[in-house]
Amino acid sequence: MTDARPAADPHADDPHADDPRADDLAFLRRAVELSRRCPPSETAFSVGAVVVAADGTVLAEGFSREADGHDHAEEAALGKLPAGDPRLRGATVYSSLEPCGQRASRPVPCAELLIAAGVPRVVVAWREPSTFVAETRGAARLEAAGVELVELPELAEEARAVNAHLWG
C-alpha cells in the first residue's frame, strides 16, 4: 500500500521560491535529504529518490539500501507503487544521483526500471561518476528512450557530500 499524500509546501523556507524551477529544487532537496538515511557502504552510493505525480502529490520516496542491502533509491521508491500505476506516466522522479544504467547486484538497472514504468521526466542533482563503473549509461539510456532528463548542478555538492565516505 502506498502512502500517497499531498506534497508539503515545497517552498517552505526556500530562498529560491521565485525561481521557475522552485518545485524541482525543493523535491530534489528532499531526495538529497533522503540520501542521508542510507546505511553507509564502501561499494555503493548513498542516493535518495522522490516520485511526484503531475499534480505535485508525492507518490513514493526511497533511498539506497532502505529495505535490502542491494536496493537502489529509484528501485525502492518505485517498489512502493502498484505495478503499472498510471500516475507514473505523468510523474517526475527526483534522484540525488543519475539513475544507474548498469549494475552488478540486480539484473535491471534503475534507468530501465524508470523507462519500463513510463516515467517521462527525471531530475537529478549529480551525474554518476565512474567510481564503480567505467562507463556510466543511465542518462544516455533515459534520453534515448525519450525521457526528459534535467540536471540541477547547484545541488550536486550536497549530493556528493553525502557520499564523502567513498573518497575519504
Side-chain angles (χ1 to χ4, degrees):
M1 189 88 184
T2 302
D3 180 21
R5 59 196 178 278
D9 180 0
H11 306 295
D13 302 319
D14 187 347
H16 303 287
D18 292 335
D19 187 328
R21 302 167 310 138
D23 286 346
D24 285 346
L25 286 164
F27 287 122
L28 192 53
R29 279 192 182 94
R30 174 64 182 154
V32 172
E33 181 182 317
L34 287 166
S35 73
R36 292 184 178 101
R37 294 185 185 179
C38 299
S41 171
E42 295 301 317
T43 60
F45 292 106
S46 294
V47 181
V50 181
V51 182
V52 179
D55 68 0
T57 301
V58 173
L59 300 176
E61 297 181 332
F63 55 90
S64 302
R65 299 172 296 288
E66 181 174 353
D68 175 278
H70 298 292
D71 284 346
H72 285 199
E74 302 89 347
E75 174 184 42
L78 288 174
K80 294 173 183 171
L81 297 169
D85 189 325
R87 298 173 297 176
L88 289 170
R89 300 228 172 257
T92 297
V93 172
Y94 296 88
S95 182
S96 60
L97 180 68
E98 168 188 353
C100 68
Q102 59 185 347
R103 63 190 290 187
S105 61
R106 300 254 166 89
V108 182
C110 293
E112 295 299 327
L113 293 173
L114 294 168
I115 293 164
V119 172
R121 186 169 184 263
V122 175
V123 179
V124 301
W126 177 36
R127 296 283 180 126
E128 182 180 8
S130 59
T131 305
F132 300 115
V133 294
E135 184 181 335
T136 62
R137 300 184 188 136
R141 284 182 179 214
L142 291 169
E143 290 172 335
V147 174
E148 177 187 0
L149 182 67
V150 177
E151 184 176 358
L152 299 179
E154 57 265 50
L155 296 181
E157 189 51 44
E158 287 181 53
R160 278 193 291 272
V162 176
N163 289 283
H165 66 282
L166 295 172
W167 299 283

